[in-house]
């Protein structure tokens, strides 16, 4: 196997692992409907980093990283939307519980 093919294979394998890991976090957050254990800055930071890495990778002409970071950006945006939705639900529930106790 030549060096370039091996290098690309390692890059794509690492990209797949990274996407699966973050994707699993987003899926778990969506499935549980909770923000427990998730920092509000997780996806904000991921979005900012992914935008920077997409630009950087494009300037380098590295297809593996352009695509990986584009998918990471989409995953982070989706995660942020789910986080905000879950946070609003949790706040409504907490407000409903507090109103029920005082009423």
């Amino acid at each position: 196997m030549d060096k370039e093919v091996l290098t690309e294979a390692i890059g794509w394998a690492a990209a797949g692992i990274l996407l699966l890991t973050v994707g699993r976090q987003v899926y778990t957050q969506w499935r549980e409907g909770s923000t427990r254990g998730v920092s509000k800055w997780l996806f904000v930071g991921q979005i900012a980093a992914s935008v920077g890495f997409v630009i950087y990778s494009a300037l380098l002409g590295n297809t593996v990283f352009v695509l990986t970071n584009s998918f990471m950006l989409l995953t982070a945006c989706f995660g942020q939307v789910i986080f905000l939705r879950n946070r609003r639900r949790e706040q409504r529930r907490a407000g409903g519980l507090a109103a029920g106790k005082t009423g």
Side-chain angles (χ1 to χ4, degrees):
M1 179 179 291
D2 91 4
K3 184 179 175 184
E4 187 174 326
V5 172
L6 179 60
T7 300
E8 288 292 311
I10 291 169
W12 284 111
I17 292 166
L18 180 61
L19 288 167
L20 287 172
T21 302
V22 174
R24 179 64 185 183
Q25 174 62 46
V26 171
Y27 173 73
T28 298
Q29 183 180 324
W30 171 75
R31 186 188 69 223
E32 293 179 1
S34 173
T35 61
R36 185 181 56 234
V38 180
S39 167
K40 68 181 179 178
W41 296 106
L42 171 68
F43 296 112
V44 172
Q46 182 63 52
I47 289 167
S50 291
V51 167
F53 279 126
V54 167
I55 294 167
Y56 174 74
S57 301
L59 292 171
L60 291 176
N62 188 312
T63 305
V64 172
F65 289 121
V66 168
L67 292 175
T68 299
N69 286 298
S70 295
F71 285 123
M72 289 298 296
L73 177 58
L74 291 173
T75 302
C77 289
F78 188 60
Q80 183 68 14
V81 167
I82 293 169
F83 178 87
L84 294 172
R85 182 201 66 182
N86 290 348
R87 174 67 54 97
R88 281 192 297 273
R89 286 180 180 175
E90 289 169 349
Q91 289 171 343
R92 280 196 303 266
R93 279 187 230 139
L97 291 175
K101 288 181 182 179
T102 61

